[in-house]
Amino acid sequence: MSRPRTPDPALDMQGDSPTGTRNEDDADRTQHSHRMLNFSDALLSIIATVMILPVTHTEISPEQQFDKNIQKLLATRIAVYLMTFLIVTVAWAAHTRLFQVVVKIDDTLALLNLACMMTITFLPFTFSLMVTFPEVPLGILLFCVCVITIGAVQALIVVYAFHFPHLLSPQIAHSAHRALCRRHILYIVLRGPALCFAAAGFSLFFYPASYLLMATVIFLPYVNKAASWCRRRLVGPQEPPAHSVEVFTFDLQEPLSKERVEAFSDGVYAIVATLLILDICEHNVPDSKEVAERFHGSLVLALSESGPRFLAYFGSFATVGLLWFAHHSLFLHVRKATQSMGLLNTLSLAFVGGLPLAYQQTSALARQPRDELESVRVSCAIIFFASVFQLAMWTAALLHGPDTLQPSARFGGAEHAFMLAKLALYPCASLLAFACTCFLSRFSAAIFHLTQVAVPFIFLLLRLLVRLALRLLRALPGLAGPAPDAQDAAARAPLLPAPC
């Protein structure tokens, strides 16, 4: 254990410190946690994203129709994927908050974190078992054992860090209520694994209860928040204890680290964009014997048969890239990520992770033209939910007040109308494509591909289109209104935002 030392006031909750403390860290044999956290965020985003692979590899032969049995199978697999994706993001959020408290690491903590990451990498295998055999308890049991092990390792990290206070943030390390903080953090870390322990028991004789308990892990923070709100309504507000300010540093309702939210989200988008090419490499490189016998040695003719797959790839990559661009633009204006924004971001990323399924569905249109209507609708639904949760995240940021968004993106700001148009483009386009397939079902594939081609061009012209729309709105009588005096302008926001 190191000698006690005075905390540096420049040290923040993320472990940032000035360069002058490097010698002190060397003496304590500790390191800052930045690189380890970047590695953990990358690994967690990969694990969360590859959960979609068992769903995309659902075997549907060309002779099979997209009947109710296939729809039920696909819906079950998508539901299990969404649940497990959200559970992985709960583990990531717990990891994020844990290392807001533990700001420095040593060799032991680094190895404990590696043990936690190793257990997380086993989750896709357990998920594949759950997807393939949803009624067999072994897959559920193994998944719950992994979650319990992750919680146990995180609890060991908490105990170890509190045993060596120089690893903690200065606020907690020098607190008079450090033991109370440790119990509070252990309670939050272990309650999810406790629910999974109960789910593992129910899997042996009533598996639906296991899925219900695992879903409860996802929404437990929001259930607690709702319960607290009901308690305040029933018994009235209570005086917080003197130590509540120190315990609040690990409260699940506190804002997440914006930098780690961006890093995790970028990892998901990058992995999804990479997964799209795997199907091209696996299924569209022709066999040399087939080229020689069937296409008389012409590689161009052989590759031309895979034209629809390449078209679907480029369209899907453009969709992933533009959704990332909208996400990037949104977080340029975000000051902090609140709890509700974190949930909406997680839901958006869950459907972004489903975009390889949309690609797999649309790339199969040439081989299975009978099912093109259902495939297009599935793809439109995935794109719609991936983008509409981004729009909801921006709306939540607007509702949380001036501390959440930069002034330029708030209502009346210079970027408000442009951000609204940018985030609303994909929800409107996918909803329009879905509606058009209801009336023009014979042209559903053409409608979908036209949408994929048109949206990127609209993105390029979006700022110009928004400026023209605002000028037209201001030209309409009654919208511009009389020029307000200085007192009225200070008292209320303008009806229309400032020009882009």
Side-chain angles (χ1 to χ4, degrees):
M1 186 170 178
S2 68
R3 58 182 174 85
R5 38 181 229 277
T6 304
D8 195 318
L11 188 66
D12 65 10
M13 296 297 291
Q14 298 300 324
D16 296 327
S17 66
T19 310
T21 62
R22 185 174 301 170
N23 293 333
E24 192 173 318
D25 294 338
D26 292 339
D28 291 330
R29 296 183 180 179
T30 62
Q31 314 99 38
H32 291 294
S33 57
H34 301 302
R35 187 170 181 183
M36 188 193 74
L37 297 182
N38 291 336
F39 170 77
S40 302
D41 288 342
L43 189 144
L44 282 163
S45 62
I46 292 170
I47 294 302
T49 309
V50 299
M51 296 282 194
I52 195 63
L53 292 181
V55 183
T56 59
H57 291 164
T58 302
E59 294 292 337
I60 303 176
S61 63
E63 292 78 18
Q64 286 181 294
Q65 291 187 357
F66 207 85
D67 56 11
K68 290 185 177 180
N69 292 330
I70 299 297
Q71 292 174 4
K72 183 179 178 180
L73 173 65
L74 203 56
T76 301
R77 295 192 170 189
I78 291 174
V80 176
Y81 155 74
L82 290 174
M83 183 191 69
T84 51
F85 183 98
L86 294 174
I87 289 177
V88 172
T89 57
V90 167
W92 167 79
H95 189 274
T96 300
R97 297 194 185 280
L98 178 57
F99 282 92
Q100 288 175 339
V101 174
V102 182
V103 296
K104 291 187 178 181
I105 61 171
D106 58 10
D107 291 346
T108 303
L109 269 185
L111 291 175
L112 285 173
N113 185 71
L114 281 177
C116 182
M117 295 299 110
M118 181 186 67
T119 310
I120 290 174
T121 57
F122 196 69
L123 287 175
F125 173 71
T126 63
F127 168 68
S128 298
L129 290 178
M130 292 169 62
V131 164
T132 309
F133 308 99
E135 300 178 4
V136 178
L138 182 60
I140 302 174
L141 190 62
L142 289 176
F143 184 87
C144 292
V145 168
C146 285
V147 175
I148 293 168
T149 305
I150 293 166
V153 175
Q154 289 183 341
L156 283 176
I157 292 174
V158 173
V159 172
Y160 181 84
F162 273 85
H163 186 68
F164 297 100
H166 65 277
L167 300 172
L168 301 173
S169 70
Q171 181 186 6
I172 296 179
H174 300 279
S175 169
H177 304 282
R178 197 167 65 222
L180 184 64
C181 266
R182 182 181 62 184
R183 288 198 299 270
H184 177 76
I185 294 170
L186 285 174
Y187 165 72
I188 293 177
V189 166
L190 292 175
R191 62 186 182 183
L195 284 173
C196 284
F197 182 80
F202 275 105
S203 67
L204 299 175
F205 55 90
F206 188 61
Y207 73 90
S210 300
Y211 287 107
L212 181 61
L213 286 170
M214 287 190 289
T216 306
V217 174
I218 302 166
F219 299 103
L220 189 60
Y222 308 96
V223 172
N224 287 340
K225 186 176 181 180
S228 300
W229 180 84
C230 294
R231 192 183 306 115
R232 287 195 303 269
R233 297 283 293 184
L234 292 174
V235 302
Q238 298 179 348
E239 286 293 328
H243 53 262
S244 63
V245 175
E246 294 157 359
V247 175
F248 193 66
T249 56
F250 199 75
D251 196 328
L252 289 178
Q253 299 177 21
E254 275 286 88
L256 287 165
S257 166
K258 176 190 169 185
E259 290 73 20
R260 291 200 66 182
V261 171
E262 290 176 326
F264 180 79
S265 303
D266 289 345
V268 171
Y269 281 102
I271 298 303
V272 169
T274 308
L275 289 178
L276 297 176
I277 196 61
L278 295 182
D279 197 50
I280 292 281
C281 298
E282 182 180 358
H283 299 291
N284 293 277
V285 177
D287 182 75
S288 57
K289 292 183 178 180
E290 185 181 8
V291 172
E293 296 174 1
R294 185 179 171 190
F295 300 99
H296 308 290
S298 175
L299 185 59
V300 175
L301 290 177
L303 290 176
S304 64
E305 282 205 341
S306 301
R309 282 184 175 269
F310 289 107
L311 177 62
Y313 163 73
F314 287 115
S316 299
F317 189 93
T319 302
V320 174
L322 292 177
L323 285 173
W324 171 85
F325 180 69
H327 188 277
H328 167 70
S329 302
L330 171 61
F331 272 83
L332 283 178
H333 299 291
V334 169
R335 288 179 168 176
K336 63 180 182 180
T338 63
Q339 184 192 26
S340 58
M341 291 173 64
L343 175 63
L344 292 169
N345 184 62
T346 298
L347 292 171
S348 174
L349 293 178
F351 284 97
V352 168
L355 287 174
L357 175 63
Y359 161 70
Q360 188 263 348
Q361 292 289 313
T362 54
S363 65
L365 293 181
R367 293 181 289 108
Q368 296 171 280
R370 296 172 299 177
D371 302 330
E372 69 176 30
L373 179 60
E374 290 80 4
S375 299
V376 166
R377 287 180 175 177
V378 168
S379 302
C380 288
I382 292 173
I383 296 171
F384 173 78
F385 284 111
S387 54
V388 80
F389 281 120
Q390 286 186 345
L391 180 60
M393 184 164 42
W394 184 66
T395 305
L398 287 174
L399 296 177
H400 273 90
D403 292 336
T404 307
L405 280 178
Q406 301 286 353
S408 60
R410 298 177 207 155
F411 185 79
E415 293 291 317
H416 176 81
F418 184 50
M419 280 302 304
L420 175 61
K422 189 183 294 186
L423 293 169
L425 180 56
Y426 260 115
C428 293
S430 55
L431 195 61
L432 179 64
F434 187 93
C436 288
T437 60
C438 296
F439 302 102
L440 303 170
S441 57
R442 293 176 56 188
F443 307 100
S444 56
I447 291 170
F448 183 78
H449 292 313
L450 179 63
T451 303
Q452 285 188 310
V453 172
V455 170
F457 286 101
I458 297 175
F459 249 104
L460 294 175
L461 302 174
L462 192 59
R463 189 175 289 273
L464 175 62
L465 295 174
V466 170
R467 285 178 176 175
L468 291 175
L470 289 178
R471 287 185 181 180
L472 288 175
L473 287 173
R474 288 192 175 90
L476 294 177
L479 281 180
D485 55 22
Q487 186 175 2
D488 291 339
R492 61 183 181 181
L495 177 61
L496 291 173
C500 295

